[in-house]
Amino acid sequence: MSSSRCHSSWIAQQGSSGTYPTHPEDGLRRFQEMVEIDAMRTGAMRTGARKQKKSNRLFDTAALIADTTNLETLSDSTSSFTGCVLTPENVANRIHLNEIRYHVWVAAKFVVEEIRARLDDEAGLVRATVEEFLVQLGKAVLGCVPELVTFIDPRLHDNTPAMISAARTLVLRHAVEGLNIARIVVTLPATEQGIAAARELWKRYSICTNLTLVSGLLHAAACMEADPKVLTMPVGPILEWFEKKNGGAFPIAPAHPGIEAIQSCASYIRYNDLKPKLMTSDIRSIPRHTLTTWYPKPTDSSASALRAKQARCPTNFLRSRKGFMAALSAESRSVVSAVLFMGIGKMKVHMERIEDVVRTEVRKRVELETTDLRSLYSRSTEIITPEPSPKKNRTPPGPPGSKSGAPLKRTLCKEDESRKTQPLIEGVDYF
């Protein structure tokens, strides 16, 4: 808007109120004063908006990762998910539903048809089917979101070579399906063996990893030696451990010792300019837009910031012969046991639930594949014949299916020579 139009508008408004300026210069001065006041008001509004936006920066810029296998939710056009994380828990909770069970059926059919020579090895078939099931489910998920965080069997948590082999096989199967492996992150438990496996997977095979069940700052510092793409900290178990230790619940606030432990990891990553992203899971009920963690500033003097600045970077926990657990304090070992190993125990239970469903589907498929079609076609023909009526009821037997007459009896009769089963002709599709 031009100044002349503003000026004219101002004069019209003043004239209507009976304070029309008697001299043009008076009107110009009043106009300039009004413009200055408007500029001050606009600047104040913008400053307030910047402060509000800055205070909610965590919520406006944080990546939103979906913790679900609900494909309808993931494909919702109004959602802004940047990825999806598959866990033993969210898969086990929905594997009985048709949309997820379908992928189990596809996986069982593929595996049994591919390795027919080893149909007597049920354990091997189940393992291969679980792996193929995760590939098929991951393929469906990647059709809805840009990035997938999947997992391997958590029961391998203490076996580095087995975790490396399982992660490589899982990623290669995704690649065979035509998926870009750069969109795939493999979750490993953050045990000493899991950290070593993550380091090997990234350095030798360029496979991105997510080290999960990280419990605190020193644990996170040890994980950084593997150069993972993501670190996952379970909020609920961490808060519960500190609350039990201190004999009661704390309000959800930055001063909560569990929140401080999580914030110190975020500050550690920020101050040392490290690449891994910090992801939180198992989040308890927190009031909407209650700021409990923040983007650390260089001038931050909070307790979590001081701990992060004092922590050593890089560390050499993995080079220790005794392992990084031996280098931790008694309190740190206690929280690692409560968060990491208790979490692994729960993951094992969910993994067994998944295997139970997969095993049932594999057995059905194996039974179908091993059925002898010759014996199936040569079964005796089942014929329904009328049963003789009792003597006291002299009503003659009616035709089969009629309402009158004697009750029907199911019997088997032998086939005559003319109806013997003929041999199957090779090349003819009987289905």
Side-chain angles (χ1 to χ4, degrees), residues 150-388:
T150 186
F151 63 92
I152 61 172
D153 192 339
R155 292 170 294 188
L156 304 174
H157 65 91
D158 58 351
N159 190 332
T160 298
M163 282 189 281
I164 294 174
S165 177
R168 288 187 62 201
T169 304
L170 184 63
V171 171
L172 289 175
R173 284 291 302 121
H174 281 86
V176 170
E177 292 292 331
L179 302 173
N180 184 0
I181 63 174
R183 301 171 60 192
I184 300 170
V185 181
V186 181
T187 297
L188 306 176
T191 58
E192 294 184 42
Q193 296 82 2
I195 297 172
R199 180 173 57 180
E200 186 76 5
L201 286 169
W202 174 247
K203 288 186 176 181
R204 292 193 59 183
Y205 308 106
S206 300
I207 294 176
C208 299
T209 56
N210 164 38
L211 288 172
T212 190
L213 301 175
V214 178
S215 58
L217 178 57
L218 295 181
H219 194 180
C223 292
M224 295 298 175
E225 297 183 33
D227 200 14
K229 184 173 183 178
V230 183
L231 290 183
T232 300
M233 301 187 73
V235 176
I238 293 175
L239 301 188
E240 290 172 6
W241 185 90
F242 281 100
E243 289 168 357
K244 290 179 180 179
K245 175 179 178 293
N246 293 278
F250 287 82
I252 301 300
H256 191 297
I259 297 294
E260 286 187 355
I262 298 171
Q263 178 60 43
S264 64
C265 296
S267 300
Y268 183 82
I269 294 174
R270 169 72 176 87
Y271 292 141
N272 295 288
D273 196 22
L274 301 174
K275 295 180 180 180
K277 300 176 182 178
L278 184 64
M279 181 168 66
T280 55
S281 63
D282 297 327
I283 301 176
R284 299 195 320 194
S285 178
I286 296 177
R288 181 175 176 82
H289 280 191
T290 299
L291 190 62
T292 54
T293 59
W294 58 91
Y295 189 76
K297 301 177 183 178
T299 57
D300 189 358
S301 59
S302 63
S304 58
L306 294 177
R307 289 180 58 196
K309 291 177 181 178
Q310 293 171 359
R312 181 178 178 181
C313 183
T315 59
N316 56 359
F317 289 117
L318 298 185
R319 298 176 185 176
S320 173
R321 294 181 179 179
K322 298 181 180 180
F324 82 90
M325 287 289 288
L328 302 180
S329 63
E331 179 177 318
S332 297
R333 287 197 299 270
S334 177
V335 67
V336 168
S337 298
V339 174
L340 175 60
F341 295 108
M342 291 292 290
I344 291 175
K346 294 178 181 179
M347 294 170 71
K348 289 180 179 179
V349 174
H350 297 308
M351 200 67 195
E352 290 171 358
R353 293 170 56 196
I354 295 172
E355 282 193 345
D356 288 341
V357 175
V358 170
R359 186 177 295 106
T360 301
E361 197 65 44
V362 166
R363 287 175 178 174
K364 292 179 180 179
R365 177 56 55 176
V366 170
E367 181 181 3
L368 182 62
E369 290 293 326
T370 56
T371 300
D372 185 5
L373 295 181
R374 291 181 181 273
S375 62
L376 179 65
Y377 288 139
S378 63
R379 290 181 179 177
S380 300
T381 307
E382 188 175 5
I383 299 178
I384 300 177
T385 58
E387 182 180 13

